[in-house]
Amino acid sequence: MSRQITLTPEEVVRLCERIEGAQARAHAIPKLTDEYPNMTSDDGYAVQHALRKRFLANGRRLVGWKAGLTSRAKMIQMGVNAPSIGFLMADMARPENSAITTSDMVHPRVECEVAFVTKAQLQGPGCTRQQVLDATDYVLPAVEIIDSRFSGFKFDMPSVIADNGSSARYVAGGRARYPADVDLRTLGVVMEKNGEIVATGASAAVLGHPAEAIAMLVNILAEQGEVLPAGSFVMSGGITEAIPVKPGDSVVARFQELGSVSMRFIE
Ligand code: OOG
Ligand code: MG
C-alpha cells in the first residue's frame, strides 16, 4: 500500500512545530486542513512521527500507544469514520486518585478505556485479535484525558492524527487481570462525574472487542514500518463518548471485573 504524502518535508516540520507549540502552551489553533485542505491521514502521521522524534530528542520517554476513535460513540461524537493511533509518553501519566491540573490543557475531556500491557513484540501487517491476546501480559482499566489542540474540539482525520490523537494525560489503575480470566467483550463501564452517572457502555463497543483495536493499531504501525515492542502500555480507545471536565470536578470510572479509576481536576 503506497502512502499518500502531499506535504513537503519543510511543511511537515512547520506543522510539527505548530502542534508542539499549541500542546506546550495549551492554546487552541485552527485545524491544519484549513491551511492544507489536501492533507491526507498519511500526512497527519508524518507530522505525528516528527513530533515523536522531537519529544524523544528532548529526553522524553515513550511508554506505549493509544488507539482512538474505535467506538461508534466516539466516531459519532467527533464526526469521523475511521480509527487512528497516537503515542504515549511517560510524562503524560498521572497517578490514580491524584489532582490533575487543567490550566495546562485547552478543553480536557475524559474517557474510559481498557488498557493492555504486552509481554511479547507484536508486528503487522495482518496482526489479529488472537495474536494480541497471546502477547498480552495483563489488562487494566484506564481513563484517558484527551485535549484536542483544535478550536472548538473540532477536527478531521488528518488534523487529529497530526495532533497525536488529542493525547494529553492518562490514568491507569484498578485491578490488573490476565486476559484469559475476563470476557473482554462484555465488560460494563460506568463513568461518574461529581457523583452522577454521565456515561455507560460495554467494552464490545470498541470494534467488537478491545483487542481488535490493538491489532488495528499494530497494523497501522506496520504501515509506518514500526512494531509494538514487548512491555508496551496500549489503550484501546474510549468505550463511550468523552465527557468534558473542569476544575472542581471529580471523576470515577467503574469497570466490571477491573475495579475503578478515580481522579479530580484542579486549576
Ligand atoms: C481523538 C482521540 C480519540 C479515543 O479513545 O477515541 C480517542 C478525539 O476524540 O479527540 O482517544
Ligand atoms: Mg482515547
Side-chain angles (χ1 to χ4, degrees):
M1 200 169 14
S2 72
R3 301 184 70 201
Q4 286 191 312
I5 301 287
T6 70
L7 299 174
T8 66
E10 292 73 24
E11 286 167 335
V12 170
V13 170
R14 202 166 146 251
L15 292 182
C16 168
E17 283 170 357
R18 192 183 297 179
I19 295 285
E20 188 187 23
Q23 291 191 358
R25 289 191 290 279
H27 70 78
I29 56 175
K31 63 183 194 307
L32 306 184
T33 43
D34 288 356
E35 188 181 350
Y36 294 97
N38 298 326
M39 245 186 103
T40 63
S41 290
D42 286 337
D43 288 317
Y45 281 117
V47 175
Q48 186 190 113
H49 184 258
L51 191 66
R52 176 159 50 102
K53 290 281 132 105
R54 193 172 277 247
F55 285 177
L56 291 171
N58 289 340
R60 297 175 67 177
R61 189 165 60 84
L62 184 79
V63 293
W65 292 83
K66 57 158 278 180
L69 306 166
T70 47
S71 65
R72 266 183 69 72
K74 285 284 310 183
M75 288 193 209
I76 291 168
Q77 180 181 32
M78 304 321 302
V80 297
N81 58 9
S84 66
I85 71 169
F87 59 80
L88 299 174
M89 290 292 175
D91 54 25
M92 297 174 176
R94 293 293 177 272
E96 216 183 342
N97 292 315
S98 65
I100 298 177
T101 54
T102 51
S103 51
D104 48 359
M105 291 187 267
V106 184
H107 35 209
R109 295 180 178 179
V110 290
E111 46 191 27
C112 314
E113 310 202 8
V114 178
F116 291 65
V117 173
T118 60
K119 60 181 177 187
Q121 174 179 294
L122 281 163
Q123 189 170 348
C127 178
T128 64
R129 176 201 302 191
Q130 192 56 48
Q131 286 171 351
V132 170
L133 291 171
D134 292 344
T136 297
D137 192 359
Y138 55 89
V139 294
L140 73 173
V143 169
E144 182 175 24
I145 300 138
I146 51 170
D147 184 36
S148 177
R149 269 52 65 158
F150 301 119
S151 309
F153 224 115
K154 290 210 169 59
F155 50 65
D156 42 32
M157 288 307 288
S159 299
V160 68
I161 290 168
D163 186 25
N164 193 24
S166 310
S167 301
R169 313 279 180 264
Y170 56 90
V171 182
R175 248 182 103 187
R177 302 291 301 264
Y178 293 118
D181 293 347
V182 283
D183 182 352
L184 284 175
R185 285 172 312 148
T186 56
L187 295 179
V189 299
V190 175
M191 173 83 88
E192 292 176 14
K193 185 168 88 171
N194 305 327
E196 275 179 35
I197 295 177
V198 287
T200 60
S203 54
V206 173
L207 299 180
H209 189 301
E212 206 67 63
I214 310 301
M216 180 274 314
L217 180 145
V218 170
N219 291 328
I220 294 180
L221 280 177
E223 287 170 21
Q224 302 173 38
E226 306 218 32
V227 300
L228 184 71
S232 294
F233 171 80
V234 195
M235 292 193 295
S236 55
I239 295 168
T240 70
E241 73 275 20
I243 306 293
V245 287
K246 56 177 184 347
D249 286 341
S250 64
V251 166
V252 184
R254 298 183 197 283
F255 291 69
Q256 194 184 352
E257 315 266 18
L258 303 178
S260 60
V261 182
S262 308
M263 71 221 63
R264 63 196 174 86
F265 292 90
I266 57 173
E267 194 60 42

